[in-house]
Every structure is written in C-alpha cells, then in structure tokens.
Amino acid sequence: MRSAPLSPQSREDALEAMAATTLDVLVIGGGVVGGGAALDAATRGLTVGLVEARDLASGTSSRSSKLMHGGLRYLEMLDFRLVAEALKERGLHLQRLAPHLVREVPFLYPLQHRAWERVYAGAGVALYDAMSKASGYGAGVPLHRHLTRRGARAIAPSLRKDALVGALQYYDAQVDDARHTMFLSRTAAAYGAHVATRARVMSLVKEGGRVVGAEVRDLESGRTITVRARQVVNATGVWTDETQAFAGERGQFHVRASKGVHLVVPRDRIRSDSGLILRTEKSVLFVIPWGRHWIIGTTDTDWSLSKDHPAASRSDIDYLLEHVNKVLVEPLTHDDVVGVYAGLRPLLRGEDEATSKLSREHAIGHAAPGLIVVAGGKYTTYRIMAKDVIDEVAHALEGQLDRRVPPSTTEHVPLLGAEGWDAVSNQRQLLARDSGLHDERIVHLLGRYGSLIHELLALVAEDPDLGLPLDGAPDYLRVEVVYAATHEGARHLDDVLTRRTRISFEEFDRGVTAAPMVADLMARVLGWDESQRANEVDHYVKRVEAERESQTMPDDDTADAARKGAADVVPVTVAG
C-alpha cells in the first residue's frame, strides 16, 4: 500500500479535484465516522470527497476515553448485539487494522460485596471474554482472573484497603483516538479520496428538491467552491441537526449532546500496574493508563451550549476527583490535575432524561433525496457505521452508475502504518542503532506511526536536529511536528499541540512553553510569515487561558461563557 501524505499541496489538489468533477459521494465531517465512510467508499471504487470545517478529529473524535472496547456496562444493560459487534471490532483493530495504534490494557474492577458480587460480576466478565473469543478475533487478549484483596492491592497499592474485598482483572484495548481518526482519512486518501480540512459547508446545493452537492468555503483562502456529488453523507456527529437543516428538512431523527469530561494526572500519583473501572451512581468511571499519566473519566451530562468547544466546569472536575478519591489511599487534588478535556457524545435523542441511558446504537436515514445521515453509535463501532451508511449510498446509486457497487472491504484493509507492523517492530534495536535515536524514542515512534516510521527517520537523517526533543514537551521529537504539517494534514498550531500530539493535556502548562518552537517548525513547512507565526502562538495561549478560566467556573453556563473568551478557530492572515 502506497503512503499518501495529507500535505498542503494535496489539500489544494483535493479542493481543485472536487470543484472540477461530480463525485459519487461527498462526505461531510472529518471525525471517525466520516473518515471511516470515506475509506469504505474509496475502497469500493467510488469517487469520494471528504470535507471538514476545522481539523480532522477536532470534535468528539479526539476527546473520547481513548478506549476501543466492547463496553461492560452495555452487557449489563443486556445489549448483547452491541457488545458482540464492538468486541469483534476491538479484535480486528488489535490484530489487523491498526495494531500500531491499538493496544491491550488491563483493568481492575474492585469488588465491594462478598460472594454475590463476585459471582454476578465474574459471570459478566466471563461472558465478555467468551463473546470476544466467539468473534474470531479474541486471540491474544488475556482472559480475566479473580483476585483477593491482597492480590488486587499488590497490583494497585494506591487502592484503599476498605475500598474492596477483592477484585476482577480483565483486558480491553485503548487507542489514541485523534491519531487513529487522522489515519483513517489519510488511508482513504491513499485509496484515492479527496480530503480537505478547513473546508466548511456553507449550504447544500439542491436541484428539483434533490441534494446534488454543497457550497464549500476554503477557510484558508476565503474562496468558495461548488462540490457536486451523486450522494451526500452527513457524518457531522453532534452537528447532525444543523447540517440536516441545510436541506430544509426536519430529518427523521435528532441528536442530543452529552458532555464527557476527563482529567489527566501524573502516573506517580496513582500507584498501579493496571487501569481501574469503578461504579458510580450513574455509570462507570475509568482510570486509564496513558504513558506518564492517567486519564480519569468520564462525566455524562446533558449539554445544550457551544458545540465547538465544550467547557469543563469546576463542578465537573470536583465530581471526578470525589469519585476516584473514594478508592485511593492518597486523594488527588486540583493541584494534581495536569490537563482537562471535554467532548460531546452524539446520542440519538430519546425519552429518558438520563443521557447515560440514551442509545449508543447508530441510525441511518434519508434526510432528503440525495442526502444520507448517519448518527449515534460509539467510537469502537465506527467501521460498522461507515459500512452501513455506504451500503445505503450504494443502494441509492443504483441506476446512477453503469456498474454495481461492490460490498465493503474495510474488514480486510489495514490502515497506513499497519502493514509490516510486526516486522518493523522486531527491528526496533536496528532502527535505533542506524538512526542514532534511543531505543525508547523508537518505541515511541512505532506506537504512533507504525511502519511509516521510516518516513520520519528519513527526515531526521536529512536534518539531525529534528531528532532532538521539543522544548517544553520532551516526550516528543521535533520531527513529529514537521511530519504533522507535511504528511498529516496539520494546518495550525492547535492541530499539532492538541491532536497530532497530546501536549495540550500532557504538560502542566498545557503546551504554552512548547508553542513557540512548534510554531517555528510549522512555519518552515507551511510558509508562515512572522505575523502568522505570532498569531498562531497568541491564539493558542489565549485558548489555554480561556480553558483554565472555564475550569474554575461553578457550572456549565459560566464555564461556557469563559471558554468563549478565546476564538476556537485561529484567524488566518496569510494563506498557508
């Protein structure tokens, strides 16, 4: 499989190509479902365009719990089909589709009651394991085991003795959601899809009551193009209703946003060799290992304010700290919080007021002739959602094409970086020796780029300074910033600090110290002048300040008002 860069030039080429031809399908939305749909369509031989108003994964798809899992709580809700489907997808990604991005992670489930809870929870986890094996893709994922209180505290010494009588340990998988979503769109581009970020749909084009395309504004240059397509897919997540409204139709279903907040704390503040899953009065709380950190989340509350950048309030942070501290020997405080991020889940609107009980199933419908909507679902099952919506596209294209659209092949299509993963991983010591980088640096790059690591090492060979760590964010190398701009579609400072890397929540200063150096590296690639470079840094610093202020506010309304103190999209003074 040839590697295709999402470069500045490829973006220009994509916009020109979309303006010059009639596509089979135009996908609106660069999240995990939009990227998955573009890949599914492209690998069926359809001509595809993908447009995203901001950056790839700039919405929900970069702000999840970063798990690829079946969902134990859905099993308790007797949603066996959803769990079985998700467990198959988890195994597919671990074994075939993205082994460089998805990895196993252990979780401890503390038991607080004696015999009955061990039997009840143990039966559930045993069924979870059995369903994983039955999927055909459960090989290699360790089975659960029962632990005494002493055994559990040997694994997690930070657990209070009175917080458990024993425990279960089981395995799931985690993923860097933003990088995975980017790889979906990049792989789609490798199969011929035209991908353009910072390309906002301003309206839908209709002829005779039928949607035949969209008016798209290039936010970098200000120009507007008309993109014509035989079918248009609305994959905009929590913005589904707004995009549907462009067609002048009410739509068959509606999406409700639920806010999920996560905290990031240093790894040494919780002594454990395993993640934790804890029951709350509403749902569950995860404590997830993340490099030198833990991710703690999530909340689950209704959100009706700004969707562009949902804000975490002090009450959200207090809620998470209160619940995790119930089981910890040494309680966490606000001073321990390195980073905070908030995302919105797109839930199909239901009658129940508790958003944790709204449907995580997905739905597909025709909002208008020529416009197909996909909404709902969960991150792990994005590929199924993408397959289902492109199946609907294929059905709608019958009679419009002189050929039959073949079935989905994405179950067998590895993402870029996955091919040759085992072989290149086995060569890590040789790669370290030949590149002059430390073994740990090679392991880090392999876990973010897979077999594409050779492209980064080639850049380091040309300019050895790129093999040095970033000022203010030493976990990352300078080459990763350059590569993000040349190959991964990063257009702005925020794209790199927030999504191509996770510096924005992994450093105590949220990336403010690293921002000038990252801007310098990007400027060389994207042709920024000093004015644009300064603009990028200023915008990012103000964003961090606004987020910090919002996190001191007592409730959603005041937090949202504080977050709006900084623009969400960086203004452009010079086209990149």
Side-chain angles (χ1 to χ4, degrees):
M1 180 61 212
R2 67 181 178 88
S3 171
L6 294 179
S7 64
Q9 187 58 53
S10 74
R11 178 182 177 276
E12 290 299 314
D13 293 344
L15 289 169
E16 289 184 14
M18 285 190 280
T21 187
T22 298
L23 303 168
D24 291 327
V25 56
L26 172 65
V27 179
I28 306 172
V32 68
V33 176
L39 177 59
D40 192 287
T43 51
R44 297 193 199 203
L46 298 175
T47 56
V48 187
L50 171 66
V51 293
E52 160 59 43
R54 295 187 294 174
D55 181 32
L56 299 172
S58 59
T60 303
S61 296
S62 61
R63 305 176 192 183
S64 73
S65 295
K66 316 204 183 310
L67 293 176
M68 192 160 276
H69 63 143
L72 270 177
R73 74 184 180 100
Y74 300 115
L75 195 60
E76 190 173 30
M77 294 163 64
L78 306 181
D79 199 341
F80 299 114
R81 189 189 66 78
L82 178 63
V83 175
E85 188 176 75
L87 285 172
K88 177 183 176 181
E89 293 303 306
R90 181 192 74 176
L92 263 175
H93 283 77
L94 279 167
Q95 294 181 25
R96 180 190 299 163
L97 302 186
H100 56 314
L101 302 173
V102 181
R103 50 193 58 89
E104 296 158 8
V105 60
F107 285 98
L108 276 181
Y109 175 69
L111 299 170
Q112 297 178 320
H113 307 280
R114 296 199 178 269
W116 73 265
E117 189 182 16
R118 187 176 289 277
V119 172
Y120 176 75
V125 177
L127 178 58
Y128 197 68
D129 284 346
M131 293 172 74
S132 172
K133 300 299 181 186
S135 73
Y137 295 97
V141 179
L143 297 175
H144 78 283
R145 58 177 179 152
H146 287 257
L147 298 167
T148 63
R149 175 163 56 194
R150 177 178 295 178
R153 295 189 74 233
I155 294 171
S158 280
L159 286 176
R160 284 171 42 182
K161 188 176 180 179
D162 62 354
L164 72 165
V165 298
L168 297 169
Q169 186 177 51
Y170 76 100
Y171 284 77
D172 249 317
Q174 69 178 167
V175 62
D176 186 328
D177 48 7
R179 291 200 60 74
H180 173 255
T181 296
M182 178 275 297
F183 266 107
L184 281 170
S185 291
R186 191 174 167 192
T187 306
Y191 282 98
H194 307 298
V195 178
T197 58
R198 297 276 293 182
R200 184 184 298 277
V201 170
M202 306 304 293
S203 63
L204 295 176
V205 178
K206 296 181 74 173
E207 293 179 358
R210 179 182 183 82
V211 174
V212 295
E215 295 290 330
V216 177
R217 176 171 295 166
D218 175 0
L219 298 182
E220 303 289 76
S221 67
R223 63 175 171 156
T224 299
I225 63 172
T226 300
V227 180
R228 300 187 67 85
R230 295 179 178 88
Q231 294 291 319
V232 176
V233 170
N234 174 5
T236 53
V238 294
W239 291 273
T240 294
D241 290 6
E242 288 85 346
T243 309
Q244 273 187 150
F246 283 143
E249 303 289 341
R250 189 168 182 270
Q252 297 174 311
F253 48 82
H254 299 279
V255 169
R256 178 172 165 184
S258 167
K259 184 176 70 167
V261 174
H262 295 79
L263 309 181
V264 181
V265 302
R267 191 67 176 263
D268 61 8
R269 287 297 288 112
I270 301 175
R271 290 179 296 132
S272 177
D273 294 327
S274 174
L276 305 173
I277 178 172
L278 310 171
R279 277 191 177 276
T280 69
E281 64 275 12
K282 294 181 180 179
S283 182
V284 294
L285 185 74
F286 286 103
V287 180
I288 307 161
W290 183 263
R292 295 187 297 107
H293 304 87
W294 296 99
I295 293 176
I296 302 171
T298 178
T299 61
D300 199 347
T301 55
D302 194 27
W303 180 264
S304 58
L305 301 169
S306 171
K307 295 178 181 178
D308 288 341
H309 205 296
S313 67
R314 187 177 181 89
S315 62
D316 293 321
I317 298 171
D318 287 342
Y319 171 88
L320 292 172
L321 292 176
E322 175 191 348
H323 281 79
V324 75
N325 282 339
K326 288 179 180 179
V327 302
L328 296 181
V329 173
E330 299 177 13
L332 300 173
T333 70
H334 283 266
D335 290 339
D336 295 314
V337 177
V338 175
V340 182
Y341 65 90
L344 299 177
R345 304 176 193 86
L347 304 180
L348 296 177
R349 188 172 297 172
E351 298 300 322
D352 199 309
E353 287 303 309
T355 63
S356 60
K357 296 182 181 179
L358 290 181
S359 178
R360 297 311 301 271
E361 299 279 355
H362 65 274
I364 293 167
H366 288 260
L371 177 63
I372 301 174
V373 181
V374 56
K378 59 198 294 280
Y379 192 101
T380 305
T381 56
Y382 80 90
R383 194 189 64 83
I384 302 300
M385 297 173 66
K387 170 187 173 296
D388 289 350
V389 75
I390 301 303
D391 280 346
E392 195 66 24
V393 167
H395 179 71
L397 286 174
E398 289 180 5
Q400 292 184 278
L401 301 178
D402 58 2
R403 66 189 187 283
R404 185 174 181 180
V405 179
S408 176
T409 64
T410 53
E411 186 173 332
H412 307 283
V413 178
L415 300 188
L416 289 177
E419 290 188 5
W421 159 250
D422 289 334
V424 75
S425 182
N426 291 338
Q427 296 175 330
R428 57 186 177 275
Q429 290 181 329
L430 293 175
L431 293 172
R433 184 196 68 190
D434 294 344
S435 66
L437 297 178
H438 193 279
D439 287 6
E440 290 298 317
R441 294 294 189 185
I442 295 297
V443 171
H444 164 84
L445 294 175
L446 285 169
R448 287 169 50 77
Y449 305 92
S451 56
L452 298 184
I453 188 174
H454 295 292
E455 297 182 350
L456 286 94
L457 296 182
L459 293 174
V460 173
E462 293 176 7
D463 182 355
D465 283 351
L466 294 181
L468 298 175
L470 283 171
D471 293 348
D475 287 352
Y476 295 92
L477 298 179
R478 299 174 189 184
V479 69
E480 298 183 74
V481 174
V482 172
Y483 190 80
T486 58
H487 287 70
E488 296 181 341
R491 300 288 303 171
H492 294 281
L493 184 60
D494 184 70
D495 301 345
V496 172
L497 292 173
T498 307
R499 288 172 289 277
R500 302 306 182 276
T501 71
R502 311 321 289 270
I503 293 169
S504 66
F505 64 67
E506 291 175 345
E507 297 295 334
F508 264 111
D509 69 355
R510 313 285 172 95
V512 170
T513 301
M517 174 174 278
V518 173
D520 287 342
L521 291 164
M522 295 184 72
R524 287 160 44 182
V525 176
L526 298 177
W528 294 342
D529 62 13
E530 179 53 34
S531 173
Q532 181 65 24
R533 180 206 162 280
N535 192 27
E536 295 280 340
V537 174
D538 180 65
H539 170 269
Y540 184 78
V541 170
K542 287 179 177 176
R543 186 202 115 169
V544 169
E545 291 172 349
E547 286 183 346
R548 285 189 180 279
E549 183 182 359
S550 72
Q551 291 155 18
T552 66
M553 295 297 163
D555 54 39
D556 284 350
D557 288 327
T558 53
D560 180 65
R563 177 59 186 85
K564 287 177 178 176
D568 186 51
V569 178
V570 62
V572 178
T573 58
V574 176

